[in-house]
């Protein structure tokens, strides 16, 4: 059969196509050069409160309001300001000075806003109290992600603050997203998990009345259970509470301190106490400077509506967003670990020597590490180990919780193994990576 020859009308006209492309390419290059960047087209107007829609996953139908100052710093910080019950994002914007402070320091403010009838944030459902479980925390994280993408914001400088229901949500956000938030400031709140309910109710009277009490480790375990296996850095926390609070009663303040000092591994012994204003008692834990791991301010004779103009400046100092604050306090986390194992058929013992290479004493420590596959701890000494396999946290015993600069503590454990008897390869002390040798 003779070869088929294309119909003359269907033959490619290569010279004509090349000429057409040559004419179009300069025009296409001009269009690309003059088109605004995608992120720029999505940015909000500056110096005004703007509602943002379509910002990402939002299972509880929150609204997102955004304030961007006229002058934004390069890779700006992001502050999430969370409103009280019956409030709204616009009310939080007009009732606090975070927008005017953003004008001064160049950060961006996100104001989440509840649409449910109560106008209270969900801090009680099982979905809200676990990472990516659903409800309000997921929507708020989506807001942060949207701002980070759109403005090339600094992911290491994302902060949360809130009042009442917003303070409770601040505790929740720092618990479920410790890898997103660097620090929080909670005005008249309750500990993470204190408001938990299983019957669909948004209100927990026992917690509100200050009758829910736990040990520091029990409170800390609630936070750690929200993101199982997480061993990275934990956000710092600033706590505010009035002694005459009749809505979320004052005992909750002490329970919050117990929780966050345990989570941050700094112990309940105060590092510094002063009175920065009349009737105020400020106590710092784990450090003496403006950015201590935990800072707690008690207001004598003050009720639930404790927030007043000027307090936001102190929040920014704690966050390090005021532009001229001191350098962060040395954290009790500079460390070195020496790890060895002695193995037999299906078992081993491991010896760990933890050295404080920082400049401040370690007051309460948690050593995080991941066991090699197939290993299960059956016993230990010098620390409490949990869980028995996978990502493990070794918590100090009552007699070795303080490690002076340059000093060491030796602990160890016994474990079964399935053939891999190696020591863990990496360690963290209170969330900070240690050198290993």
């Amino acid at each position: 059969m003779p070869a088929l020859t294309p119909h003359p009308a269907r033959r490619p006209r290569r010279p004509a196509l090349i000429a057409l492309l040559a004419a179009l390419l300069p025009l296409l290059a001009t269009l690309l050069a003059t088109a605004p960047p995608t992120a720029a087209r999505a940015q909000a107007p500056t110096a005004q409160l703007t509602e943002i829609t379509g910002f990402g996953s939002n299972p509880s139908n929150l609204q997102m309001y955004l304030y961007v100052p006229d002058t934004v710093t390069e890779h700006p910080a992001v502050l999430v300001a969370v409103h009280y019950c019956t409030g709204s994002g616009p009310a939080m914007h007009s009732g606090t000075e975070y927008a005017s402070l953003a004008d001064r320091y160049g950060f961006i403010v996100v104001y989440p806003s509840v649409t449910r009838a109560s106008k209270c944030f969900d801090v009680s459902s099982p979905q809200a109290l676990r990472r990516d479980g659903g409800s309000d925390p997921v929507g708020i994280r989506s807001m942060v992600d949207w701002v980070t993408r759109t403005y090339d914001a600094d992911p290491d400088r994302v902060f949360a603050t809130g009042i009442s229901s917003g303070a409770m949500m601040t505790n929740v956000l720092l618990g479920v997203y410790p890898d997103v938030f660097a620090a929080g400031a909670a005005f008249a709140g309750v500990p993470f998990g204190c408001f938990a309910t299983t019957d669909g109710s948004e209100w927990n009277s026992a917690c509100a009345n200050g009758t829910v009490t736990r040990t520091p480790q029990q409170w800390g375990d609630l936070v750690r259970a929200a993101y199982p296996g997480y061993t990275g850095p934990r956000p710092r926390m600033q706590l505010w509470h009035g002694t005459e609070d009749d809505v979320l009663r004052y005992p909750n303040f002490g329970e919050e301190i117990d929780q966050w000092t345990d989570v941050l591994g700094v112990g309940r012994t105060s590092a510094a106490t002063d009175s920065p204003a009349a009737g105020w008692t400020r106590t710092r834990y784990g450090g003496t400077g403006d950015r201590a791991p935990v800072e707690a301010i008690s207001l004598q004779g003050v009720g639930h509506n404790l927030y007043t103009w000027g307090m936001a400046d102190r929040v920014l100092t704690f966050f390090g967003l005021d532009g001229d604050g001191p350098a962060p306090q040395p954290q009790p986390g500079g460390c070195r670990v020496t790890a060895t194992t002695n193995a037999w058929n299906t078992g081993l013992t491991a010896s760990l020597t933890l050295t404080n290479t920082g400049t401040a004493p370690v007051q309460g420590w948690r050593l995080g590490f991941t066991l090699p596959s197939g290993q299960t701890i059956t016993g230990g000494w010098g620390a409490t180990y949990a869980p028995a396999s996978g990502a493990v946290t070794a918590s100090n015993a009552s007699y070795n919780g303080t490690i002076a600069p340059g000093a060491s503590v030796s602990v160890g454990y016994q474990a079964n193994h399935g053939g891999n008897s190696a020591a863990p390869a990496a360690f963290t002390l209170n969330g900070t990576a240690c050198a290993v040798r």
Side-chain angles (χ1 to χ4, degrees):
M1 180 181 291
L4 295 177
T5 302
H7 190 279
R10 295 176 184 168
R11 289 174 182 163
R13 299 176 180 178
R14 292 178 182 171
L17 286 173
I18 292 171
L20 179 60
L21 286 172
L24 288 175
L25 283 173
L27 177 61
L28 180 61
T30 300
L31 289 173
L32 289 173
T34 57
T38 302
R41 289 199 300 268
Q43 290 183 354
T46 59
Q48 66 184 63
L49 190 67
T50 304
E51 183 176 3
I52 304 297
T53 59
F55 50 83
S57 178
N58 184 24
S60 55
N61 195 34
L62 296 178
Q63 292 174 289
M64 173 184 176
Y65 291 91
L66 188 70
Y67 183 83
V68 181
D70 282 329
T71 302
V72 176
T73 60
E74 185 178 7
H75 307 304
V78 180
L79 174 62
V80 179
V82 195
H83 68 74
Y84 41 88
C85 279
T86 75
S88 67
M92 190 70 176
H93 168 259
S94 62
T96 62
E97 62 269 49
Y98 293 112
S100 62
L101 291 170
D103 290 333
R104 187 187 312 172
Y105 297 116
F107 59 87
I108 295 172
V109 191
V110 177
Y111 299 94
S113 195
V114 170
T115 58
R116 65 177 62 88
S118 67
K119 300 298 182 182
C120 296
F121 284 91
D122 176 13
V123 296
S124 57
S125 74
Q127 293 79 16
L129 296 176
R130 67 175 185 270
R131 180 181 178 83
D132 294 336
S135 198
D136 297 346
V138 171
I140 294 173
R141 181 184 180 171
S142 294
M143 298 177 195
V144 170
D145 289 345
W146 187 93
V147 173
T148 302
R149 290 192 307 269
T150 304
Y151 293 91
D152 195 20
D154 186 347
D156 293 327
R157 294 195 301 148
V158 178
F159 305 91
T161 185
I163 302 169
S164 189
S165 178
M168 292 192 278
M169 177 52 70
T170 297
N171 278 268
V172 169
L173 290 173
L174 268 60
V176 298
Y177 293 120
D179 53 336
V180 174
F181 293 93
F187 290 83
V190 304
F192 176 97
C194 182
F195 239 62
T197 60
T198 57
D199 59 0
S201 173
E202 296 179 31
W203 189 257
N204 185 319
S205 295
C207 178
N209 289 330
T211 62
V212 176
T213 59
R214 292 185 171 91
T215 67
Q217 180 166 339
Q218 287 171 334
W219 281 122
D221 287 345
L222 285 178
V223 172
R224 289 182 283 272
Y227 186 2
Y230 178 74
T231 58
R234 293 282 179 174
R236 297 178 298 113
M237 177 62 96
Q238 184 186 64
L239 303 165
W240 300 72
H241 221 104
T243 61
E244 302 303 313
D245 193 324
D246 60 352
V247 177
L248 300 174
R249 295 189 180 274
Y250 187 67
N252 283 301
F253 181 57
E255 301 299 306
E256 284 181 294
I257 295 171
D258 282 349
Q259 182 170 69
W260 291 104
T261 53
D262 182 82
V263 168
L264 286 156
V266 296
R268 195 63 162 74
T269 302
S270 65
T273 301
D274 62 1
S275 182
W280 293 17
T281 300
R282 177 174 61 188
T283 307
R284 288 165 169 165
Y285 302 87
T288 59
D290 288 333
R291 298 182 220 174
V294 178
E295 180 174 275
I297 302 99
S298 172
L299 283 67
Q300 183 64 38
V302 175
H304 188 63
N305 297 322
L306 80 168
Y307 182 87
T308 59
W309 219 256
M311 290 179 175
D313 288 280
R314 297 181 183 274
V315 171
L316 292 199
T317 297
F318 181 74
F319 289 167
L321 294 182
D322 55 357
D324 57 357
Q329 286 290 302
Q331 297 300 309
C335 52
R336 182 178 65 247
V337 175
T338 301
T340 60
T341 60
N342 180 23
W344 60 92
N345 294 334
T346 59
L348 62 87
T349 58
S351 297
L352 310 176
T353 300
L354 167 62
T355 302
N356 177 9
T357 60
T359 58
V362 174
Q363 296 177 331
W365 52 264
R366 293 181 179 277
L367 188 66
F369 54 90
T370 299
L371 289 175
S373 177
Q375 291 187 15
T376 303
I377 292 176
T378 57
W381 56 94
T384 301
Y385 300 85
S389 60
V392 177
T393 299
S395 304
N396 65 269
S398 59
Y399 57 83
N400 64 3
T402 299
I403 312 175
S408 300
V409 62
S410 294
V411 300
Y413 57 85
Q414 183 171 319
N416 295 328
H417 68 83
N420 185 349
S421 60
F427 297 85
T428 60
L429 172 62
N430 296 343
T432 300
C434 298
V436 181
R437 72 176 189 184

